[in-house]
Amino acid sequence: MAEVIRMPKMSDTMTEGTIASWLKKVGDKVESGDILAEVETDKATMELESYEEGTLLYIGVEEKASVPIDGVIAIIGEDGENIDSLLADIQSGGASAPAAVEEAAPAPAAEAAPAAASVDTSKIAAEVIRMPKMSDTMTEGVIASWVKNVGDAVETGDILAEVETDKATMELESYSDGKLLYIAVEAGGAVPIDGIIAIIGESDADWKALLEAESAGAAAPAPVEAPAAEKAAPAAAPATTPAAAPAVSSSNGRIKASPLAKKMAADKGIDLSQVAGTGDHGRIIKRDIENYVPAAAPAPVAAPAATSSNDAAPAPVALPQVVGEESFEEVANSKMRNIIASRLTESKQQAPHYYLTMDIDMDSAIAARKQMNEVSPVKISFNDMVVKATALALRQNPKVNAAWLGDKIRYNHHIHIGVAVAIEDGLVVPTVRFTDNKSLSHIGAEIKELAGKAKNRKLGPAEMEGNTFTISNLGMFGIESFTSIVNPPSACILSVGGIKQVPVVKDGAVVPGNVMKVTLACDHRVVDGALGAAFLKTFKELLEEPVRMLI
């Protein structure tokens, strides 16, 4: 028999819905849980789910048209079923079920108006959340579980609770921003359509006065408690025997399960035919999936016996049932992480980046470092040599040592190198000042001191500002090459990879050599390609002939 699909009440303030788009068309097969259309309410665009099975026989509303609550949207029935009499009844306004609802609804409102007037709620910065009508036949909803607790911050689109209707378990979405101030019904309790579920508002809002106004108007919260106890008791009993009976199927062989249960079963790899449903008429719901314990399956052990015959078909591969649980953790951003995100996003969006990559022969640098460490008071690292070579290359290519200031370019006469240091929850860039005037041992000692302060969170603001050029070195992690985002106010950042032994050609022969890749990221507003290439050429010469750094 054909079923009329009506516009459900999808939010507490909704009076009509607009069909944003149809996802099914006349003649399409429809199953329970399929999305028929997208509906724009006064607060959001939501999916209209079908609770019927059959063929879509009639669409009563075109896309972009509006429909009042309980207005006819479509008709679903058997393929080829005659719905002429049903259409005539709809067009004449004789649809009996909704009419009764419309006549019954104004009655409590008429009584509520004078009583509620005694309490002024106009200045209370809070809003009552009511049980929406989530299906065309729904009369009440059961709070399966609360996702938010009293005191939690709530934003539009957040899921407040999971609600079991007469046909499915659905998520109750918030259409208000604020704090969850009050929960009227515990998990397991039933609430009639338009009954109070919760109150959301500002922290200091007088929500109790709002409740008093509601109770004075309609005394809605009082009857909620009794059904809650009745609903909670039967819900607990079946949970102890989740596999006691096979799943109940509909007449066409389909297993009855709510859309949420189907999704959870698919995510966890659970066969719905092995789950016993505890919902209405044996429908599988959320708690059945949560409480499901898979039975032992010895069948795959006997499978290899089928291969004994030469003419037999290959035995099917028996895959084990994999049951998993998705989990995650959300951690609020630290102030440092927010600053990093803001500055580098701004840099990437505003500064036109380009990248220059070069291979550097490090054989001579390796030998020179070994000799220097025999006499140096501090152990000199390859990173110290990179910092020194960078400073000297900037001295010879001063236009790279610059910054973009919007309507002008600043060319710095001093050289302060920023060295990126990774710490537990972010990245800091301590600055080695007047780097070109310092010896390698001085640079090495200063970087070690600054890195130690950074990891102990003891860097002062003056030690992290003023850099005119930045270096990021990931070579110690085995990274061969990478690119970085320019760190304002610098116009360039040098990305340094690890030293890798590779075959190289020297004097016409292939011999083993030690090569380091570096990539220069440049702000094209300040540094053109030829200028960046000239800087890298000087940098390469200094590292391939380290004696130049000592002159």
Side-chain angles (χ1 to χ4, degrees):
M1 181 177 175
E3 293 285 344
V4 174
I5 310 301
R6 301 181 180 276
M7 176 61 72
K9 187 173 183 180
M10 293 176 162
S11 79
D12 55 308
T13 58
M14 175 180 171
T15 58
E16 66 177 14
T18 301
I19 303 295
S21 63
W22 281 102
L23 303 183
K24 296 285 186 180
K25 59 182 183 294
V26 172
D28 284 356
K29 295 291 183 184
V30 178
E31 295 184 356
S32 177
D34 285 356
I35 306 302
L36 294 176
E38 291 183 334
V39 177
E40 293 178 6
T41 72
D42 56 334
K43 294 183 176 178
T45 299
M46 305 177 70
E47 293 177 336
L48 176 66
E49 193 173 307
S50 172
Y51 301 99
E52 307 295 339
E53 297 175 0
T55 301
L56 185 57
L57 303 175
Y58 168 76
I59 288 178
V61 186
E62 296 298 323
E63 291 185 357
K64 310 305 179 186
S66 296
V67 192
I69 300 300
D70 283 329
V72 176
I73 300 175
I75 297 176
I76 294 175
E78 295 180 3
D79 193 14
E81 184 176 353
N82 190 326
I83 59 171
D84 290 345
S85 60
L86 196 56
L87 287 175
D89 191 33
I90 290 169
Q91 290 167 3
S92 64
S96 56
V101 174
E102 288 171 9
E103 290 167 11
E111 297 172 8
S118 60
V119 182
D120 181 14
T121 61
S122 60
K123 296 181 180 179
I124 298 176
E127 183 176 349
V128 172
I129 308 303
R130 301 180 182 277
M131 176 63 72
K133 188 174 182 181
M134 293 177 163
S135 79
D136 54 308
T137 58
M138 175 181 169
T139 58
E140 68 175 15
V142 176
I143 304 294
S145 65
W146 281 99
V147 178
K148 296 286 187 179
N149 299 313
V150 172
D152 287 356
V154 178
E155 294 183 359
T156 300
D158 285 355
I159 304 304
L160 294 176
E162 292 179 336
V163 177
E164 292 180 12
T165 72
D166 57 332
K167 295 184 176 180
T169 299
M170 304 177 70
E171 294 176 333
L172 176 66
E173 193 172 309
S174 172
Y175 301 97
S176 303
D177 294 334
K179 185 172 286 188
L180 185 55
L181 303 174
Y182 170 74
I183 287 177
V185 185
E186 297 299 324
V191 188
I193 299 300
D194 284 332
I196 297 175
I197 300 174
I199 296 178
I200 294 174
E202 296 181 2
S203 301
D204 57 352
D206 187 5
W207 57 268
K208 291 182 180 179
L210 205 56
L211 272 183
E212 289 174 8
E214 291 291 333
S215 59
V224 174
E225 298 299 328
E230 295 168 15
K231 289 283 182 180
T240 59
T241 56
V248 177
S249 300
S250 61
S251 59
N252 63 3
R254 290 186 67 253
I255 295 173
K256 294 181 178 179
S258 72
L260 179 61
K262 290 178 183 178
K263 182 179 185 303
M264 290 174 65
D267 291 344
K268 294 187 175 186
I270 295 175
D271 183 358
L272 283 174
S273 65
Q274 303 301 314
V275 183
T278 62
D280 294 339
H281 308 295
R283 183 181 292 273
I284 299 169
I285 57 178
K286 175 177 177 281
R287 65 167 172 262
D288 300 325
I289 303 299
E290 290 177 334
N291 297 327
Y292 173 69
V293 178
V301 178
T307 61
S308 57
S309 171
N310 293 334
D311 299 328
V317 178
L319 296 176
Q321 187 179 69
V322 178
V323 179
E325 183 175 352
E326 294 181 355
S327 64
F328 59 87
E329 179 184 7
E330 293 183 350
V331 179
N333 289 339
S334 64
K335 185 175 181 181
M336 177 185 295
R337 178 56 59 191
N338 282 332
I339 291 172
I340 291 170
S342 173
R343 290 188 51 160
L344 294 187
T345 299
E346 182 181 346
S347 172
K348 188 66 175 177
Q349 290 175 343
Q350 295 184 4
H353 286 58
Y354 72 92
Y355 306 94
L356 302 171
T357 300
M358 183 174 278
D359 288 345
I360 297 174
D361 183 349
M362 294 295 285
D363 286 346
S364 296
I366 291 170
R369 175 176 175 263
K370 183 178 179 182
Q371 285 184 303
M372 287 187 287
N373 277 334
E374 290 175 358
V375 295
S376 174
V378 225
K379 187 176 181 181
I380 296 169
S381 68
F382 290 113
N383 190 59
D384 301 333
M385 298 177 73
V386 166
V387 172
K388 178 67 174 180
T390 299
L392 296 177
L394 287 173
R395 181 58 65 204
Q396 295 183 45
N397 299 271
K399 288 191 175 180
V400 178
N401 192 38
W404 177 262
L405 300 182
D407 58 348
K408 56 190 172 184
I409 297 174
R410 172 181 291 170
Y411 293 104
N412 297 295
H413 299 150
H414 58 279
I415 296 172
H416 294 345
I417 303 293
V419 181
V421 176
I423 59 175
E424 185 178 351
D425 61 347
L427 186 76
V428 292
V429 185
T431 301
V432 180
R433 298 178 181 279
F434 307 107
T435 320
D436 56 323
N437 296 331
K438 294 176 179 176
S439 66
L440 277 166
S441 58
H442 189 157
I443 290 171
E446 189 171 342
I447 289 177
K448 285 180 179 63
E449 181 184 359
L450 290 170
K453 284 185 176 182
K455 290 176 180 177
N456 293 323
R457 299 181 180 275
K458 292 183 179 178
L459 278 175
E463 294 171 308
M464 292 187 290
E465 58 188 24
N467 65 74
T468 62
F469 190 98
T470 309
I471 295 173
S472 180
N473 189 343
L474 294 179
M476 66 287 291
F477 297 107
I479 301 299
E480 185 177 347
S481 66
F482 66 103
T483 59
S484 301
I485 299 173
V486 172
N487 181 37
S490 303
C492 298
I493 182 170
L494 185 68
S495 306
V496 182
I499 299 172
K500 187 176 181 181
Q501 194 169 60
V502 296
V504 296
V505 178
K506 288 187 178 179
D507 300 326
V510 178
V511 296
N514 294 284
V515 174
M516 180 177 75
K517 282 185 183 289
V518 297
T519 300
L520 182 68
C522 303
D523 182 345
H524 214 321
R525 296 173 301 181
V526 181
V527 178
D528 293 329
L531 187 56
F535 165 83
L536 275 186
K537 180 175 179 293
T538 306
F539 176 78
K540 175 182 172 75
E541 290 169 350
L542 288 165
L543 280 178
E544 291 186 343
E545 296 182 67
V547 70
R548 293 187 178 204
M549 291 191 283
L550 306 177
I551 299 173

